Amino acid sequence: MTHGMTHGMTYINVWITECLTDTVKLLVFLTLPLHRDMMMSLDDKGSVQIQTKVLPQDSWTQVSCPCCVSKQVESLVLIQLSDNVQPVTKRWLISLIEASKRHGGAALLAHPGEDECGDVIVVSAPRCTLLRATEDLGLCKKYRNKEMASFSYHDRDNFTNVDDMQEFLTLAERQYIVKNELDSLQAQKKQRIPGVPEAPGVLEAWENICQKLVRAGVIKDIFPLHDQQRLNDVCRRWYSKKQIWRQPLDAIQSYFGGTMAFYFSFLQFYTWALVPPAFLGLVLTFLLPGGGGVVKEQAVEGVMEEEDYGPSVSGHMVQAVFSMLWSTLFIEFWKRRSSSLSHRWGTRHLTERFAEPRPGFQGTLGLNPVTGRLEPLFPEWQRQLRVGLVSLPLVGLFLGLVVLGMTGFYHGEALVQGFHQDSGSLFSGALLYLPSMAHTVYTNILKNVYHAVAMQLTKWENHREESSFQNHHITKVLLFTFFNNFAVLFHIAFYKQDLPLLRKKLASLLILNQLVNQCTEVVVPFIVDRFLSAAHKKEQEDNLEMDKLRAQRSLPPFPGLFAEYIELLVKFGYLSLFSCVYPLTAVLLLLNNITEIPGDAYKICKLFRKPFSAPVSNMGVWQTAFEVLGFVSVMSNCWLLLLSPRVQEFCLEGGISGKNIILFAILVEHVLILVKIILAFMIPAEPDWVRIKREQIEFNSMQALGKQKL
């Protein structure tokens, strides 16, 4: 091809209007001019489909293993080089990618792209490399008896579909293996990088090659490639058909990987689990007397005053106890669901591998005592000092700023209300909204500043492993998020003890957040994709020279699921911590989730690059965060039940003293915590059939290992 290179097959659909007869369609089909590298077909819908063959197979690097020879090589990963990269540097990198592991290479397949002077390298993987990596990762695949078993390269012929990598491994697994093999490239000896200036172009022995090339400016990015046909199929089955209650989780896991599949599986499970509390909230609000905070007027000394009646005593107790039990059952049954999915996807027995240093890790070059390799070393005691003496005080400072903003909000509100009572003018009435607006702006600015500071702090702590880096970063953000979102609500509930105000604040937060989320997650992406990007899309469809690989590079990288999990966690906190005050919380969250699922799916499929996804067996640290919130909900609901005016009135009428009320509340709290622990113990984290399968896999793996030793 003389006009650039595209990934897979470039499809140009020339749609024939429905008014044309079949004869005219056929004439158009036969008379359209074709390039010598194009194929044309007429589908059953009356559209002419032109397919352009790309990536000539003879330009791929060759493999020495006879079983890995294939007529068709699948493009999996794109390496984006800098614009001024030298051809000698590109050839050197390709030679490293194709070299065997014994000679310090990655044992992968590489394609130079358009030409040797281009700025891309397309990477694939031969069969043997994929199979050996499958064993290293500890993935389980179907054995010849149709049961899942830990894959063994020596026993590979007894696994189903082992000769067809597109059936044996998912697309996400194949792409992750390529990325993992590239990341494991290390220099065998000290050498210079051809075509790179001497200062940044020296590779030390055992230094990570890809990280060095990124720092030297040779590699700009590495990302997996979309398979447009499979992506369209996933989109059609996913958000195009509004699959809210039953998503194609297996297709999502196969295409986008386990990280994405577990998020959407949890979101779907959470949406189903919201149905019972939503139904209970509707019953308590609209069917029980005094259900959902009914405002009544009463005369006090000739002045009509409004009194906000919350749910009745029985309604408060039912909602509080239900929230505590629901949060426990929700988390425990999700664990069972998660274990079932990880077994089905073959990730239940992932191997704990010795992690390579993450790209940002810095230190003094030395021999790693575990691997014996030369790599940056950083003393653990220095990292602990940085965490204890700098990170923790700074996090505490920002939490103090949250309290300062909350104090300023209440102080400003009191001043404005006093001024309004004195003047009673229209201007003073408008000023009543000023403290809330100022507090909202303050918290948003503080949140953005803190997120940037938390990221820089975590980088400065210099964690060696990527998992440790992510855990410390997530912990910092979760702590601030919890404090920033719930401090005002806890202050209103337990310091001011103003449950009507808490109910109004919670309702306004839920409604406002839902409106903002719908705008930012559904409306704005839809407008950007359909209108602002329409001209660019039209140009790609109409221009045969448009390079689909370059089109994928123009998309922004996927930002990850961090913000999505944070949003779910905050809303789960609203429900588990405060729903006894505002029973309609679950109803609003259910409505939000119904639109959240297709909105998130649309963004991932259309607006971002395809992300790499490592095989995972659960949600990781996020599952722990939800469990902690569920535990805190027991204490929150107990004391909110105690502070309810109706409950206090009921206790006073029964002649119960304040001291006895507090002792009774503490007793009930401990009893409910005990019930929560018993429930968590009684509900196994994995179903019996999953436990039996797991034990069978472990037993068979031990037997296979014993045979290999013999």
Side-chain angles (χ1 to χ4, degrees):
M1 294 293 292
T2 58
H3 299 292
M5 177 264 301
T6 62
H7 167 52
M9 305 295 289
T10 301
Y11 295 92
I12 301 147
N13 292 322
V14 182
W15 297 99
I16 311 300
T17 57
E18 295 182 358
C19 60
L20 294 179
T21 64
D22 293 340
T23 304
V24 176
K25 293 178 184 178
L26 182 60
L27 288 175
V28 173
F29 169 68
L30 293 174
T31 55
L32 279 174
L34 283 179
H35 189 275
R36 60 183 176 88
D37 288 330
M38 294 180 181
M39 296 185 302
M40 181 184 289
S41 62
L42 187 65
D43 64 16
D44 54 357
K45 296 182 180 179
S47 64
V48 178
Q49 190 177 62
I50 303 173
Q51 300 177 350
T52 306
K53 293 183 178 181
V54 295
L55 290 183
Q57 297 299 303
D58 55 359
S59 297
W60 285 97
T61 54
Q62 301 300 312
V63 292
S64 57
C65 180
C67 68
C68 296
V69 177
S70 175
K71 295 181 180 179
Q72 188 70 28
V73 180
E74 179 187 26
S75 304
L76 293 175
V77 173
L78 181 79
I79 300 178
Q80 171 66 55
L81 305 175
S82 63
D83 297 334
N84 57 353
V85 66
Q86 298 297 318
V88 63
T89 308
K90 183 175 179 178
R91 289 194 298 269
W92 172 80
L93 181 55
I94 290 177
S95 67
L96 274 178
I97 293 173
E98 70 170 329
S100 64
K101 295 285 187 70
R102 184 174 52 187
H103 296 94
L108 298 173
L109 302 174
H111 193 288
E114 189 174 2
D115 52 53
E116 289 188 358
C117 299
D119 57 354
V120 297
I121 299 176
V122 184
V123 186
S124 186
R127 176 176 176 268
C128 286
T129 299
L130 293 173
L131 293 180
R132 293 183 188 278
T134 302
E135 181 180 21
D136 292 340
L137 291 173
L139 294 175
C140 293
K141 295 297 176 181
K142 281 189 178 181
Y143 205 62
R144 59 185 176 184
N145 59 0
K146 303 301 180 183
E147 297 290 342
M148 299 296 288
S150 294
F151 179 75
S152 170
Y153 182 79
H154 296 287
D155 193 28
R156 58 188 180 277
D157 293 332
N158 289 318
F159 285 82
T160 61
N161 297 319
V162 74
D163 293 325
D164 186 356
M165 289 297 98
Q166 296 194 14
E167 291 291 333
F168 185 73
L169 293 171
T170 67
L171 177 62
E173 289 169 347
R174 299 194 299 274
Q175 291 175 329
Y176 174 76
I177 288 174
V178 171
K179 178 65 163 59
N180 188 64
E181 296 300 325
L182 290 173
D183 288 341
S184 63
L185 277 174
Q186 291 183 322
Q188 301 293 303
K189 59 182 180 180
K190 185 175 181 179
Q191 58 182 299
R192 282 202 55 202
I193 303 174
V196 178
E198 185 171 353
V202 177
L203 270 170
E204 300 291 339
W206 302 111
E207 187 175 5
N208 187 283
I209 294 176
C210 282
Q211 294 178 14
K212 179 67 175 182
L213 293 178
V214 170
R215 291 194 297 268
V218 175
I219 294 179
K220 294 173 63 177
D221 201 359
I222 302 176
F223 60 89
L225 292 168
H226 272 300
D227 183 329
Q228 197 61 46
Q229 185 176 357
R230 294 189 61 185
L231 177 62
N232 293 337
D233 181 62
V234 172
C235 295
R236 178 182 55 82
R237 298 170 56 192
W238 195 0
Y239 68 83
S240 297
K241 289 188 176 182
K242 308 298 181 186
Q243 294 284 356
I244 298 171
W245 303 102
R246 187 175 179 82
Q247 300 177 78
L249 296 177
D250 290 334
I252 298 170
Q253 189 271 340
S254 175
Y255 191 82
F256 287 105
T259 304
M260 205 76 69
F262 269 108
Y263 167 74
F264 280 98
S265 177
F266 178 77
L267 187 54
Q268 175 180 288
F269 187 85
Y270 182 30
T271 304
W272 275 105
L274 284 173
V275 174
F279 178 76
L280 178 63
L282 291 173
V283 171
L284 294 178
T285 302
F286 298 109
L287 297 184
L288 288 185
V294 180
V295 178
K296 295 185 178 181
E297 292 184 352
Q298 62 179 7
V300 180
E301 296 181 356
V303 179
M304 297 301 296
E305 292 187 353
E306 291 185 348
E307 182 177 354
D308 191 348
Y309 288 91
S312 61
V313 176
S314 59
H316 263 298
M317 295 181 64
V318 169
Q319 183 68 48
V321 174
F322 180 85
S323 295
M324 290 179 281
L325 296 178
W326 175 87
S327 62
T328 302
L329 294 175
F330 168 71
I331 293 298
E332 296 306 319
F333 279 106
W334 163 250
K335 290 180 183 178
R336 294 169 63 86
R337 172 66 172 164
S338 176
S339 65
S340 301
L341 290 174
S342 62
H343 173 77
R344 189 167 86 195
W345 295 334
T347 58
R348 187 70 175 159
H349 305 272
L350 294 176
T351 305
E352 291 290 336
R353 308 180 71 192
F354 187 77
E356 296 291 335
R358 66 181 186 87
F361 178 67
Q362 297 178 349
T364 305
L365 281 178
L367 291 177
N368 187 301
V370 177
T371 63
R373 297 174 178 175
L374 188 67
E375 65 176 47
L377 300 178
F378 188 76
E380 184 65 24
W381 63 269
Q382 289 189 23
R383 182 179 301 110
Q384 297 299 334
L385 280 180
R386 292 184 178 188
V387 173
L389 298 182
V390 179
S391 295
L392 286 179
L394 279 177
V395 171
L397 173 63
F398 275 91
L399 297 183
L401 292 176
V402 173
V403 176
L404 180 64
M406 183 175 62
T407 305
F409 164 69
Y410 287 120
H411 182 67
E413 191 177 52
L415 289 177
V416 171
Q417 286 181 351
F419 178 71
H420 179 63
Q421 289 178 357
D422 294 337
S423 65
S425 63
L426 185 63
F427 174 73
S428 62
L431 287 179
L432 291 174
Y433 297 96
L434 185 60
S436 295
M437 295 172 60
H439 184 251
T440 301
V441 173
Y442 174 81
T443 54
N444 285 330
I445 293 176
L446 188 64
K447 178 185 71 173
N448 294 332
V449 172
Y450 177 81
H451 283 184
V453 171
M455 177 59 73
Q456 294 302 318
L457 277 177
T458 311
K459 289 180 179 179
W460 182 70
E461 290 167 2
N462 202 26
H463 298 277
R464 180 184 181 276
E465 294 87 9
E466 184 66 26
S467 59
S468 176
F469 177 86
Q470 293 296 336
N471 288 339
H472 279 77
H473 180 233
I474 290 174
T475 301
K476 291 184 182 70
V477 177
L478 281 180
L479 184 62
F480 178 82
T481 300
F482 182 87
F483 211 76
N484 195 37
N485 285 277
F486 300 126
V488 173
L489 298 178
F490 277 111
H491 182 267
I492 295 173
F494 301 114
Y495 182 77
K496 300 183 72 173
Q497 298 186 8
D498 190 347
L499 295 192
L501 178 60
L502 176 62
R503 188 177 303 113
K504 294 174 183 176
K505 181 72 173 176
L506 188 60
S508 63
L509 281 173
L510 288 169
I511 295 172
L512 181 61
N513 285 344
Q514 185 158 335
L515 292 175
V516 171
N517 287 337
Q518 295 309 304
C519 181
T520 57
E521 296 189 5
V522 179
V523 178
V524 173
F526 178 82
I527 292 175
V528 170
D529 186 54
R530 288 297 179 90
F531 298 102
L532 299 183
S533 302
H536 181 61
K537 288 184 177 182
K538 184 71 164 55
E539 181 184 357
Q540 289 184 7
E541 292 173 359
D542 292 346
N543 189 356
L544 295 178
E545 301 178 6
M546 176 59 67
D547 191 341
K548 289 292 184 181
L549 290 182
R550 299 183 189 278
Q552 288 191 46
R553 285 185 290 169
S554 66
L555 293 173
F558 182 67
L561 296 171
F562 191 88
E564 311 299 334
Y565 273 119
I566 286 288
E567 180 186 344
L568 284 181
L569 191 68
V570 169
K571 291 176 180 176
F572 178 78
Y574 290 152
L575 175 62
S576 60
L577 299 176
F578 305 107
S579 62
C580 70
V581 177
Y582 187 60
L584 289 179
T585 301
V587 179
L588 295 175
L589 294 184
L590 180 60
L591 294 175
N592 177 80
N593 281 14
I594 289 175
T595 55
E596 180 90 9
I597 293 174
D600 287 347
Y602 181 82
K603 290 190 302 181
I604 291 168
C605 291
K606 294 293 185 181
L607 304 183
F608 297 103
R609 291 180 193 167
K610 187 177 187 292
F612 285 108
S613 180
V616 293
S617 58
N618 51 48
M619 294 196 310
V621 69
W622 296 107
Q623 185 166 298
T624 305
F626 279 93
E627 289 187 77
V628 171
L629 267 186
F631 186 82
V632 175
S633 70
V634 176
M635 297 176 282
S636 173
N637 281 281
C638 277
W639 293 102
L640 284 175
L641 183 61
L642 174 65
L643 294 174
S644 170
R646 289 185 176 274
V647 174
Q648 291 181 351
E649 182 182 349
F650 177 77
C651 293
L652 292 176
E653 290 176 356
I656 305 175
S657 64
K659 180 180 179 181
N660 290 334
I661 293 175
I662 295 176
L663 291 176
F664 179 72
I666 294 175
L667 177 63
V668 171
E669 176 191 274
H670 283 70
V671 169
L672 288 173
I673 290 176
L674 181 61
V675 170
K676 185 179 180 70
I677 295 174
I678 293 174
L679 277 176
F681 176 77
M682 291 177 59
I683 303 175
E686 56 184 4
D688 287 340
W689 70 270
V690 174
R691 177 184 58 80
I692 293 173
K693 298 292 185 184
R694 173 178 57 80
E695 292 174 353
Q696 287 177 349
I697 292 173
E698 292 172 354
F699 176 75
N700 293 333
S701 297
M702 291 177 62
Q703 280 193 324
L705 183 61
K707 290 180 180 179
Q708 287 185 19
K709 288 182 178 179
L710 290 176

